[in-house]
Amino acid sequence: MAPKQKLDDRLIFQILSTVEEIPKGRVATYGQIARLIGREKNARLVGRVLRMSGLYGSYPCHRVVNHAGRLAPGWPQQAALLRQEGVPFKENGSVYLNRCQWEA
DNA sequence: TCCATGACATCAA
DNA sequence: ATTGATGCCATGG
């Protein structure tokens, strides 16, 4: 039947499934996830989906940061969650991607 | 329909 | 390393 998919439902499923596989103590970037689901250019959509991820269930969305290791704005709790998992932080509040980035 | 915004990424200077 | 410009896609006014 028609490939007239809703775009999101499938995207959401793929994104959340991927995020769910990020091991504890590691982090992934939006671009990395976008690439894993075959949409390298759609990194922003990953963020849009993660923002509502709470409405779909409990996912480790705190393990997703941007390519600079910077955390989500308006969500100071994220840092605490990551520290709790042993993720190394810089003084400026970013994480050391080179030390804790998830290798798919 | 057009324009502005956004939990982003990549490149040039 | 930092800043500014550009690309991408979906959403909201």
Side-chain angles (χ1 to χ4, degrees):
Chain A
M1 216 330 250
K4 186 191 178 285
Q5 29 217 269
K6 288 191 28 176
L7 238 348
D8 278 44
D9 292 343
R10 196 165 115 184
L11 194 60
I12 290 172
F13 177 76
Q14 294 194 263
I15 291 176
L16 295 181
S17 297
T18 303
V19 171
E20 197 171 38
E21 301 202 20
I22 302 174
K24 179 168 173 283
R26 301 259 188 237
V27 300
T29 69
Y30 297 95
Q32 182 180 358
I33 292 176
R35 183 175 302 191
L36 287 174
I37 64 174
R39 295 203 171 33
E40 182 174 1
K41 311 273 170 56
N42 297 58
R44 301 180 106 147
L45 299 208
V46 174
R48 184 170 286 285
V49 170
L50 289 183
R51 186 171 58 125
M52 311 187 301
S53 63
L55 305 176
Y56 288 81
S58 302
Y59 293 88
C61 43
H62 58 274
R63 296 185 187 138
V64 184
V65 301
N66 67 11
H67 80 284
R70 196 175 168 82
L71 281 62
W75 189 23
Q77 284 267 296
Q78 183 177 18
L81 290 169
L82 291 175
R83 283 178 185 286
Q84 189 179 328
E85 298 188 347
V87 174
F89 272 80
K90 296 182 182 179
E91 295 304 321
N92 59 7
S94 300
V95 302
Y96 285 98
L97 272 183
N98 50 354
R99 296 183 71 191
C100 63
Q101 181 165 23
W102 174 46
E103 301 175 33

